[in-house]
Amino acid sequence: MRAAKWEFNVASGFFLDGSMIPRSEKRNIDERSEVRHPSASSTGVLEFRGRKHVVRLINVSASGAMVIFPNTPNIGERLLLQVLDRGVLWAQVRWVKDGRIGLSFAAD
């Protein structure tokens, strides 16, 4: 009897960084369910894989934030984000695109 040979193939070379789902039309309306506010500070500290990085905050809402971050975390990855007016928050990566990441804050 011959042993089965297992091969592992990657479906594609794409990463979940927002580039693989192109938008055919630019958004004309804001479909988000809550208002985003500028943060009291324009920077925060993001802990990513054991290292702390100063990041620029684009906006913050009650449930999440958008930050400029040159690294590419995995969708679903949990990170710590320290924001001056909010303290230290657990956040989960929801999307990654063009040097920005969208985070949702973990429910307490």
Side-chain angles (χ1 to χ4, degrees):
M1 179 177 242
R2 210 167 121 195
K5 181 180 177 186
W6 294 95
E7 291 184 23
F8 296 96
N9 295 320
V10 176
S12 71
F14 293 108
F15 295 98
L16 292 176
D17 65 357
S19 63
M20 65 184 286
I21 305 172
R23 193 178 293 276
S24 60
E25 294 180 23
K26 186 174 181 171
R27 280 189 184 162
N28 292 323
I29 60 170
D30 188 352
E31 299 171 351
R32 298 176 289 190
S33 61
E34 61 186 16
V35 178
R36 271 48 171 183
H37 305 283
S39 177
S41 171
S42 62
T43 60
V45 177
L46 185 69
E47 189 170 327
F48 175 65
R49 300 179 185 163
R51 299 190 70 194
K52 293 183 179 182
H53 303 267
V54 175
V55 295
R56 185 168 150 225
L57 299 169
I58 302 300
N59 60 46
V60 178
S61 71
S63 64
M66 182 189 341
V67 301
I68 293 178
F69 188 54
N71 296 309
T72 306
N74 296 319
I75 303 297
E77 190 166 352
R78 289 176 50 96
L79 310 172
L80 277 173
L81 177 65
Q82 182 176 359
V83 180
L84 180 64
D85 54 337
R86 303 279 308 265
V88 178
L89 304 161
W90 275 107
Q92 189 170 29
V93 177
R94 293 297 180 196
W95 56 265
V96 177
K97 185 173 182 177
D98 299 332
R100 298 172 294 151
I101 62 174
L103 302 168
S104 66
F105 299 136
D108 294 333

